[in-house]
Amino acid sequence: MASGTASRSEDEESLAGQKRASSQALGTIPKRRSSSRFIKRKKFDDELVESSLAKSSTRAKGASGVEPGRCSGSEPSSSEKKKVSKAPSTPVPPSPAPAPGLTKRVKKSKQPLQVTKDLGRWKPADDLLLINAVLQTNDLTSVHLGVKFSCRFTLREVQERWYALLYDPVISKLACQAMRQLHPEAIAAIQSKALFSKAEEQLLSKVGSTSQPTLETFQDLLHRHPDAFYLARTAKALQAHWQLMKQYYLLEDQTVQPLPKGDQVLNFSDAEDLIDDSKLKDMRDEVLEHELMVADRRQKREIRQLEQELHKWQVLVDSITGMSSPDFDNQTLAVLRGRMVRYLMRSREITLGRATKDNQIDVDLSLEGPAWKISRKQGVIKLKNNGDFFIANEGRRPIYIDGRPVLCGSKWRLSNNSVVEIASLRFVFLINQDLIALIRAEAAKITPQ
């Protein structure tokens, strides 16, 4: 009996060993032994959540993996073997990287912002100044010290901008487009500020300091050396630079006087010590100082008030002086000229009247003379699309156009040299014929369409 039980236990151990060996060979994990007790410890909330998550993960793995019962009982197929062998060796997939199109899109959106930010500080005039100065001197340090840009750029910023204009295709293209749009007068003004090169200063230094050169002398110098001087150089500019070189002893026939040696060296501080302060002091006049302080305060208050009201004016008012100034420019449509002032009409509609604190208008007639009989909003001058000017009376008193009264609520056509009389104030209405002709031509082109 004892021998039978011993042989049975040996047979069971051998069977268990064979099963364990077969399961290890197939790569399957044997079932975990669980307790058969029906009384179990109560789980807390966090343990319930963890167990539910573990069950869901094992279900997902069991659906995609191989059933352990089938593997232990029967021979697995070749496809199942591949799945089992590949399952432990597959690494965890990394987090998905962003698509290359998305990164390119982000880069493209950020690049113009940097370019426009760079162009915001560097104006087209600054770029043209930088290019002209570098071509003249071939030294960025001299350009940084000698050229006055619109902003206070450091030497590093000047270098970076120059390299960007040379090697960055986006910045160079935008800068060239902006420089092409500059007005020819602005380009000529920028070119006149170009620095003088060493060759130019060497030619100017040969003009003697004791001589009295005229503009013809420098004009002859320009004709004899056209390749050495910059294209925008004039005889007057050469004369001004020659006088500056003469002031700093930079001409060939000039020599800087050495300082005297010994105890007689006199600098600014020594000269200041020799001055008798008692001779410089005057008696203080407190009344005069008080009057000057009050006058200065009053002037500053008036200036501040004018600066605050400057943006409200739409029509420029020029005082008539002894010098004859032209009535029209490229932006003036018409002029209402009086005895004291003249009003420039630069918009298609302006209002006439008397300005007060509560009522701001375009043309303040009180600047011409006594205007207490004029309404606060006396009338409106309007330019039609066909090039005709009309004046509408909105005040209580009539407006006389060439002696013809225009009552309240009525309007009348204004022609060139019409005399406008408002409450004994007389004005002459002048029309810019060239600009009005262009407006009429544009209106004629649009009308047939």
Side-chain angles (χ1 to χ4, degrees), residues 258-316:
L259 291 173
K261 297 181 180 180
D263 298 334
Q264 301 299 324
V265 177
L266 183 65
N267 53 23
F268 182 78
S269 60
D270 295 336
E272 191 177 11
D273 293 336
L274 294 176
I275 296 176
D276 190 1
D277 295 337
S278 60
K279 295 180 180 180
L280 300 177
K281 292 181 179 179
D282 295 331
M283 297 297 294
R284 290 185 58 186
D285 192 349
E286 296 182 357
V287 178
L288 179 61
E289 290 182 359
H290 178 70
E291 291 293 333
L292 291 176
M293 184 179 65
V294 171
D296 182 56
R297 191 181 302 168
R298 188 185 302 112
Q299 291 176 358
K300 288 181 179 178
R301 190 185 300 114
E302 292 177 358
I303 292 172
R304 193 180 300 112
Q305 184 178 359
L306 290 174
E307 289 177 350
Q308 292 175 358
E309 295 178 355
L310 187 62
H311 68 280
K312 299 179 181 178
W313 290 87
Q314 297 179 2
V315 178
L316 299 179

Side-chain angles (χ1 to χ4, degrees), residues 122 126-149 153-167 195 198:
W122 283 90
D126 295 334
D127 290 335
L128 190 57
L129 269 174
L130 177 62
I131 293 171
N132 291 338
V134 172
L135 292 178
Q136 286 293 104
T137 61
N138 296 326
D139 186 8
L140 288 175
T141 306
S142 302
V143 172
H144 174 252
L145 295 175
V147 178
K148 185 177 181 181
F149 296 103
F153 297 113
T154 61
L155 178 59
R156 182 178 180 83
E157 290 175 342
V158 173
Q159 293 173 349
E160 290 177 354
R161 184 61 179 181
W162 175 248
Y163 297 147
L165 291 175
L166 285 179
Y167 303 114
L195 297 178
K198 293 182 180 179

Side-chain angles (χ1 to χ4, degrees), residues 356-373:
T356 59
K357 292 183 179 180
D358 301 331
N359 181 40
Q360 296 296 330
I361 55 172
D362 298 331
V363 176
D364 186 10
L365 299 176
S366 61
L367 299 174
E368 174 67 16
W372 57 84
K373 295 182 180 180

Side-chain angles (χ1 to χ4, degrees), residues 64-360:
S64 61
V66 183
E67 294 180 5
R70 285 182 56 186
C71 293
S72 62
S74 61
E75 186 70 16
S77 62
S78 61
S79 62
E80 290 175 349
K81 285 183 180 180
K82 289 180 182 179
K83 288 182 181 178
V84 171
S85 60
K86 287 183 181 180
S89 62
T90 53
V92 179
S95 60
L102 184 60
T103 57
K104 288 183 180 178
R105 197 178 299 115
V106 172
K107 288 182 180 178
K108 285 182 181 178
S109 63
K110 286 185 178 179
Q111 191 172 1
L113 291 176
Q114 182 67 24
V115 172
T116 53
K117 180 182 178 183
D118 196 11
L119 284 177
R121 289 194 66 198
W122 283 90
K123 306 294 188 298
D126 295 334
D127 290 335
L128 190 57
L129 269 174
L130 177 62
I131 293 171
N132 291 338
V134 172
L135 292 178
Q136 286 293 104
T137 61
N138 296 326
D139 186 8
L140 288 175
T141 306
S142 302
V143 172
H144 174 252
L145 295 175
V147 178
K148 185 177 181 181
F149 296 103
S150 62
C151 297
R152 290 182 176 271
F153 297 113
T154 61
L155 178 59
R156 182 178 180 83
E157 290 175 342
V158 173
Q159 293 173 349
E160 290 177 354
R161 184 61 179 181
W162 175 248
Y163 297 147
L165 291 175
L166 285 179
Y167 303 114
D168 195 327
V170 179
I171 293 179
S172 60
K173 183 178 179 181
L174 293 176
C176 290
Q177 290 177 357
M179 285 187 287
R180 289 193 194 100
Q181 295 176 359
L182 287 174
H183 196 271
E185 294 181 358
I187 294 175
I190 293 169
Q191 290 177 349
S192 65
K193 299 177 184 178
L195 297 178
F196 279 78
S197 62
K198 293 182 180 179
E200 292 175 334
E201 290 184 346
Q202 188 175 3
L203 291 173
L204 288 175
S205 64
K206 293 180 181 179
V207 181
S209 60
T210 57
S211 62
Q212 299 293 331
T214 60
L215 290 177
E216 287 77 11
T217 306
F218 296 103
Q219 189 67 38
D220 182 52
L221 193 63
L222 279 174
H223 286 305
R224 283 190 288 109
H225 304 280
D227 298 333
F229 288 100
Y230 188 57
L231 296 175
R233 300 289 186 225
T234 59
K236 193 172 182 180
L238 294 183
Q239 185 181 21
H241 195 72
W242 177 82
Q243 291 174 354
L244 192 64
M245 292 177 65
K246 180 182 177 182
Q247 180 182 352
Y248 289 98
Y249 295 92
L250 296 177
L251 302 179
E252 285 186 353
D253 58 348
Q254 285 181 327
T255 56
V256 180
Q257 297 294 331
L259 291 173
K261 297 181 180 180
D263 298 334
Q264 301 299 324
V265 177
L266 183 65
N267 53 23
F268 182 78
S269 60
D270 295 336
E272 191 177 11
D273 293 336
L274 294 176
I275 296 176
D276 190 1
D277 295 337
S278 60
K279 295 180 180 180
L280 300 177
K281 292 181 179 179
D282 295 331
M283 297 297 294
R284 290 185 58 186
D285 192 349
E286 296 182 357
V287 178
L288 179 61
E289 290 182 359
H290 178 70
E291 291 293 333
L292 291 176
M293 184 179 65
V294 171
D296 182 56
R297 191 181 302 168
R298 188 185 302 112
Q299 291 176 358
K300 288 181 179 178
R301 190 185 300 114
E302 292 177 358
I303 292 172
R304 193 180 300 112
Q305 184 178 359
L306 290 174
E307 289 177 350
Q308 292 175 358
E309 295 178 355
L310 187 62
H311 68 280
K312 299 179 181 178
W313 290 87
Q314 297 179 2
V315 178
L316 299 179
V317 180
D318 295 340
S319 299
I320 294 178
T321 58
M323 299 174 61
S324 60
S325 58
D327 287 330
F328 303 112
D329 54 11
N330 296 331
Q331 299 177 353
T332 303
L333 299 171
V335 173
L336 191 65
R337 188 169 62 185
R339 185 176 58 86
M340 298 298 296
V341 294
R342 64 191 184 101
Y343 305 92
L344 306 183
M345 182 176 177
R346 292 188 173 179
S347 59
R348 288 181 172 267
E349 182 178 348
I350 60 173
T351 57
L352 312 173
R354 177 168 46 86
T356 59
K357 292 183 179 180
D358 301 331
N359 181 40
Q360 296 296 330

